[in-house]
Amino acid sequence: MNALTPVPPSSRSRLLVVLPVAAVCLALAIGGLPRLSAHAAVVRQTAALGTPTVAVVAPGREPLQQSLVLPGDVQAFQEASIYARTSGYLGQWLTDIGTHVHSGQLLAQIESPEVDAQLAQARADAATASANYQIARVTADRWEEMLKSNAVSQQSSQENVSTMKAKQAMLAAAQANVDRLQQLQSFEKVYAPFDGVITVRNVDVGALIDAGNGGTPAALFKLAETDKLRVFVNVPQDDAADVAVGARATLTLPQYPGRSFVGSVARTAGAIDPASRTLRVEVDMDNADGAVPPGAYAQVTLMLASAKAMLSLPANTLLFRPVGVEVATVDAKGLVRLMPVTLGRDFGTRVEIRAGLKGDERVIVNPGDAVGDGQSVRINARPADAT
């Protein structure tokens, strides 16, 4: 059969049926397959979104020795306000503020003529009492000798002995008054009680010095020992147990940027202050060059020694819920487990965990507020940023 051979009527009718069906199938293949592929992709994406991917981090262990930075109050190792013990007028002062003095050094001279006159009178009274006692003693001795030969009565002898003892007591009282006034006169010279620096001088030559007879006296000088300092720090109750005597302490002052001063914990109060719930800690430091002035404000870094290493987590792993602070962990089955934790010290980007974790948990970083216990999640293979 060639191309000019006519097609039978039955074949022509079948051809007219097949061609439309083929066209319809071709149209479905061209337009339906992409839709089916897109639908499958949507199904897969929905399934993926149904199981969120999370980043996890393991709790870190902080070193046993930690540092704690607290404000400190710098004070002189010993400080005293020097008052006058006798009244009068200031004759001269020998030291001014900033003067380094030694123990026993003369600071000022007070003129007190009244005390000098009273001492002279007391010495005269003591001399009179001494003379009266000597006469009474000689008389008593004579009467006792005469009593041995029964020349006088025993009562008369005892009377003279009693008179002698009374005169002796009067002499002792007069001598005690002399000693008192001598001590008072010695207070006309004001001496330094210890080595230090004069930080305050409140008197000038000719000023009236009141030893307290007319009211509250004013201090003549203020003396401070500055070659060694005491720095007082109030340590919070949570860290009080980790402060040990002898622990290293470092001081920094705003007027010395980049410079630090080293001291050590000398003693603690041994009790928590109920008002502030802090432990009073004293840090002693050498200040031979006088660089740190008493009364200054300082930042004190204390080295704390913990009994065991504490766990810590990044701050962005914490969930603050009405029931308390929690973290979201992922168990071996990929399910979320919410665990309550107890927080400790705040290190900035990390927070100490005192209770609630063992250390082998996988903690979710940046958990959403909607995260719930038992939720299925997938762990991101890329390590999370622990900071």
Side-chain angles (χ1 to χ4, degrees):
M1 178 183 289
N2 53 28
L4 298 178
T5 303
V7 179
S10 58
S11 299
R12 185 181 299 118
S13 61
R14 287 196 301 270
L15 183 61
L16 291 176
V17 174
V18 171
L19 288 177
V21 174
V24 171
C25 292
L26 180 61
L28 291 175
I30 294 175
L33 289 178
R35 292 183 180 180
L36 292 176
S37 177
H39 178 71
V42 169
V43 172
R44 289 194 301 270
Q45 185 177 8
T46 303
L49 293 177
T51 305
T53 302
V54 297
V56 297
V57 67
R61 291 191 178 272
E62 296 296 322
L64 290 177
Q65 194 172 45
Q66 294 285 343
S67 61
L68 179 65
V69 181
L70 295 169
D73 179 21
V74 181
Q75 297 183 15
F77 193 76
Q78 55 180 335
E79 189 173 26
S81 296
I82 301 174
Y83 294 86
R85 290 286 289 118
T86 186
S87 300
Y89 291 90
L90 187 69
Q92 60 177 337
W93 53 266
L94 305 175
T95 56
D96 209 341
I97 60 173
T99 304
H100 291 261
V101 299
H102 301 286
S103 177
Q105 181 175 338
L106 182 63
L107 304 181
Q109 176 74 43
I110 300 174
E111 295 180 358
S112 182
E114 294 87 352
V115 174
D116 298 338
Q118 290 175 6
L119 177 59
Q121 180 182 357
R123 285 172 174 168
D125 293 341
T128 301
S130 177
N132 292 334
Y133 167 68
Q134 294 296 333
I135 294 175
R137 183 172 62 83
V138 171
T139 302
D141 291 343
R142 184 182 301 117
W143 280 81
E144 285 184 344
E145 288 294 330
M146 289 188 295
L147 180 61
K148 293 179 181 178
S149 59
N150 293 323
V152 295
S153 65
Q154 184 176 4
Q155 180 179 356
S156 298
S157 176
Q158 290 178 347
E159 288 178 353
N160 283 279
V161 171
S162 297
T163 301
M164 183 267 297
K165 291 181 179 180
K167 298 295 184 180
Q168 186 180 18
M170 294 176 62
L171 174 60
Q175 188 60 48
N177 190 37
V178 171
D179 295 340
R180 180 184 67 84
L181 291 170
Q182 283 179 339
Q183 287 289 338
L184 197 59
Q185 187 185 53
S186 69
F187 293 141
E188 293 177 354
K189 295 182 179 181
V190 182
Y191 297 97
F194 52 82
D195 295 350
V197 177
I198 300 295
T199 59
V200 175
R201 178 180 64 84
N202 292 322
V203 291
D204 285 306
V205 174
L208 177 64
I209 305 301
D210 186 359
N213 298 326
T216 303
L220 307 181
F221 301 93
K222 198 168 186 179
L223 180 63
E225 183 182 352
T226 59
D227 58 350
K228 192 174 182 180
L229 300 175
R230 303 178 191 263
V231 184
F232 292 97
V233 183
N234 293 325
V235 178
Q237 179 178 341
D238 290 345
D239 300 308
D242 297 332
V243 178
V245 174
R248 178 187 174 93
T250 304
L251 279 76
T252 57
L253 285 84
Q255 64 266 39
Y256 296 116
R259 182 179 177 184
S260 60
F261 303 87
V262 179
S264 61
V265 176
R267 57 191 60 85
T268 68
I272 300 297
D273 182 4
S276 60
R277 304 302 179 187
T278 57
L279 176 69
R280 187 76 163 173
V281 174
E282 178 186 328
V283 175
D284 290 351
M285 60 166 288
D286 292 329
N287 190 40
D289 58 353
V292 181
Y297 166 82
Q299 288 282 351
V300 182
T301 302
L302 296 174
M303 301 307 297
L304 306 179
S306 301
K308 63 178 182 178
M310 290 293 180
L311 301 176
S312 68
L313 284 174
N316 57 358
T317 60
L318 304 179
L319 288 168
F320 295 92
R321 300 289 178 86
V323 296
V325 182
E326 295 179 332
V327 294
T329 63
V330 182
D331 62 11
K333 297 180 180 179
L335 300 179
V336 173
R337 298 302 177 192
L338 297 179
M339 304 184 67
V341 295
T342 302
L343 302 183
R345 291 167 290 182
D346 188 347
F347 302 124
T349 59
R350 300 184 68 87
V351 180
E352 183 182 63
I353 306 299
R354 297 212 165 184
L357 298 179
K358 297 179 180 179
D360 57 352
E361 293 86 356
R362 296 180 293 180
V363 183
I364 299 176
V365 179
N366 290 320
D369 292 337
V371 65
D373 196 70
Q375 181 181 353
S376 178
V377 295
R378 290 187 302 173
I379 297 177
N380 191 352
R382 184 179 179 182
D385 186 2
T387 59

